[in-house]
Structures are given as structure tokens and as C-alpha cells.
């Protein structure tokens, strides 16, 4: 028999930690953009949208290509 997907087992701690892996870096990048609005390639508003909707790839793109070198 297959396990019942709607069983009453309590969720593990991983269920709470996994979203934080995506949310914390996104908030950090958005905070960085707001404090240092001089960005490369795109205006800060575009980088905010990329970080908000681009998940991990948007964050990596901002850190690699959008962050200004002269801070």
C-alpha cells in the first residue's frame, strides 16, 4: 500500500528552513540595492524586480553583473 499523503504526521523542521534559503538572500540583495543605488547595466528598479522574481538566478546575476564596483 502507498502512504497516505494527507496523514497527520507533523512537518519537519526542513519545511520551515527551505523557504528561508531563498528569502534571506533575496532580502539581503534588495536591501543592498536600496542602500547603494549605483548599479551596473540596469537601473536599480530593474535589479529589484530581477531579484524579487528571478529567485536564485536573479540574485546571482545581481551579485555578479549588477553590483557596482566602487562602493
Amino acid at each position: 500500500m502507498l502512504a497516505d499523503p494527507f496523514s497527520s504526521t507533523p512537518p519537519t523542521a526542513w519545511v520551515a528552513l527551505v523557504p528561508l534559503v531563498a528569502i534571506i538572500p533575496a532580502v539581503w540583495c534588495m536591501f543592498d540595492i536600496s542602500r547603494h543605488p549605483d548599479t551596473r547595466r540596469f537601473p536599480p528598479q530593474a535589479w529589484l524586480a530581477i531579484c524579487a522574481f528571478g529567485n536564485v538566478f536573479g540574485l546571482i546575476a545581481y551579485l555578479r553583473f549588477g553590483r557596482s564596483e566602487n562602493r
Side-chain angles (χ1 to χ4, degrees), residues 14-69:
W14 293 107
V15 174
L17 293 177
V18 169
L20 291 177
V21 171
I23 292 172
I24 290 174
V27 170
W28 178 72
C29 280
M30 290 179 196
F31 184 71
D32 187 62
I33 293 168
S34 68
R35 290 199 60 212
H36 306 284
D38 52 333
T39 57
R40 295 184 291 170
R41 301 189 193 249
F42 297 119
Q45 295 83 2
W47 281 116
L48 284 171
I50 290 169
C51 287
F53 301 113
N55 293 337
V56 176
F57 297 113
L59 303 174
I60 293 171
Y62 167 69
L63 293 174
R64 174 65 179 98
F65 302 112
R67 201 169 183 197
S68 179
E69 292 177 3

Side-chain angles (χ1 to χ4, degrees), residues 2-11:
L2 296 174
D4 183 18
F6 301 108
S7 65
S8 62
T9 58

